[in-house]
Amino acid sequence: MLNNKVYINGIAVIAPGMEDSKKSLEILKGNMDWYPEALSKMTPSSLPANEARRTTTVIRLALKAIDSIDYKDDTLTVFASSEGDLDIKDKICKALSTKEKMVSPTLFHNSVHNTPAGYFSIATGIQTPSVSLSAGDNTFSAGLIEALTQVLIEKNDVLLVAYDNVIPSDLACFRHFEYPIGIALLLSMDKHLEAIGDIEVSVINNQKSVTKCFNKSLEKMRIGNPIGIGLPLIEALIKGTGVEIVIPYVNQNQLSIKVNNV
């Protein structure tokens, strides 16, 4: 049980058609329907030019989600992605299948699961502890539990960044995501001036109905990417709705998230 109150002091969602913060806010409030649009290149201005050129779509997606969050220099971080950068893995496997078997150093450098965390540290100079994790389709839930645990134990702000890109075409028959999405949450023990709401989370083993998106147009993204299961929680926080959100968790458990308005 993690049913201690934790404040959400920052939220961001990056997805096709939701790069503009004002437009994204209106969609999450349910004031307008969501329609997918191609993502921009999302070049990170916070990185030195040489580093920015080496970034991939997955890295840029994670960093873009963080852009609008007002975090402190001592903030801890949790990076959560179900598959990491499969574009890079795909390119490495194709390189290894050639006669030369030459793998680019940049590809190798970007292949590890905590690469976005490394680029975040380079961009910000923050050197606090960071966790990078994966839990398949339950990655958002696992990331949320990790972030909550760190908040409650370390008594410090924790930035959760959850993200997954679409799968390369040659691998899509094994694993398929409809849309890329990045979600960032700043979790804290204390209520900041910009606090959006607070949550109390419990792990439950009874099978309740999983919460669907309040804005029905977002349902395609909720079911089209593992990170999308966090969208109903984001909607409830943005709308200031006191409600229970139920999302899948590992080992056939679920997370019951009580959302409170501040």
Side-chain angles (χ1 to χ4, degrees):
M1 299 287 286
L2 291 173
N3 53 349
N4 298 73
K5 182 183 293 185
V6 171
Y7 289 96
I8 306 298
N9 288 311
I11 283 179
V13 176
I14 300 297
M18 295 180 69
E19 284 189 73
D20 179 80
S21 58
K22 292 183 178 179
K23 182 178 179 181
S24 179
L25 189 62
E26 291 302 304
I27 292 171
L28 292 167
K29 284 182 176 178
N31 294 336
M32 60 185 298
D33 286 343
W34 171 71
Y35 296 99
E37 299 172 5
L39 286 171
S40 69
K41 192 175 180 182
M42 304 180 291
T43 302
S45 59
S46 55
L47 281 170
N50 284 341
E51 297 295 341
R53 280 195 293 270
R54 296 188 185 101
T55 58
T56 65
T57 300
V58 166
I59 296 166
R60 295 192 292 269
L61 181 63
L63 295 182
K64 182 70 173 178
I66 300 168
D67 263 355
S68 61
I69 304 292
D70 187 17
Y71 50 83
K72 300 175 183 177
D73 289 343
D74 64 348
T75 300
L76 309 176
T77 54
V78 174
F79 286 78
S81 174
S82 73
E83 296 297 340
D85 205 326
L86 283 183
D87 277 318
I88 294 294
K89 277 75 168 181
D90 183 45
K91 290 176 181 176
I92 289 176
C93 288
K94 287 178 177 176
L96 291 174
S97 69
T98 65
K99 182 179 179 180
E100 294 79 12
K101 302 186 186 301
M102 295 292 292
V103 176
S104 156
T106 300
L107 288 179
F108 181 76
H109 164 78
N110 285 336
S111 66
V112 294
H113 199 72
N114 65 346
T115 298
Y119 278 96
F120 172 74
S121 181
I122 293 169
T124 62
I126 292 177
Q127 298 182 18
T128 53
S130 178
V131 171
S132 296
L133 60 81
S134 171
D137 288 342
N138 302 302
T139 293
F140 179 84
S141 303
L144 181 61
I145 288 292
E146 176 66 26
L148 285 165
T149 302
Q150 290 198 31
V151 169
L152 296 173
I153 292 176
E154 303 295 339
K155 311 297 182 187
N156 199 13
D157 290 359
V158 178
L159 177 63
L160 168 63
V161 192
Y163 51 93
D164 264 318
N165 191 22
V166 293
I167 305 296
S169 58
D170 287 343
L171 301 177
C173 59
F174 302 101
R175 187 87 158 124
H176 179 73
F177 301 158
E178 288 290 334
Y179 310 100
I181 180 172
I183 293 176
L185 291 170
L186 181 63
L187 299 89
S188 316
M189 287 290 293
D190 303 316
K191 177 182 175 182
H192 297 186
L193 288 175
E194 60 275 13
I196 298 159
D198 66 68
I199 60 174
E200 299 172 65
V201 179
S202 300
V203 178
I204 58 176
N205 56 22
N206 53 315
Q207 295 298 306
K208 293 187 176 182
S209 296
V210 171
T211 306
K212 296 181 179 180
C213 286
F214 301 95
N215 184 337
K216 292 182 180 179
S217 67
L218 289 171
E219 266 296 285
K220 291 184 292 184
M221 186 154 51
R222 183 185 72 84
I223 63 176
N225 186 307
I227 307 305
I229 66 172
L231 286 172
L233 171 60
I234 305 302
E235 288 180 290
L237 287 162
I238 292 292
K239 291 162 68 70
T241 305
V243 67
E244 179 192 31
I245 302 295
V246 178
I247 60 177
Y249 187 44
V250 297
N251 298 326
Q252 299 183 341
N253 291 317
Q254 295 173 316
L255 297 188
S256 170
I257 309 170
K258 183 181 179 183
V259 179
N260 304 299
N261 189 11
V262 295

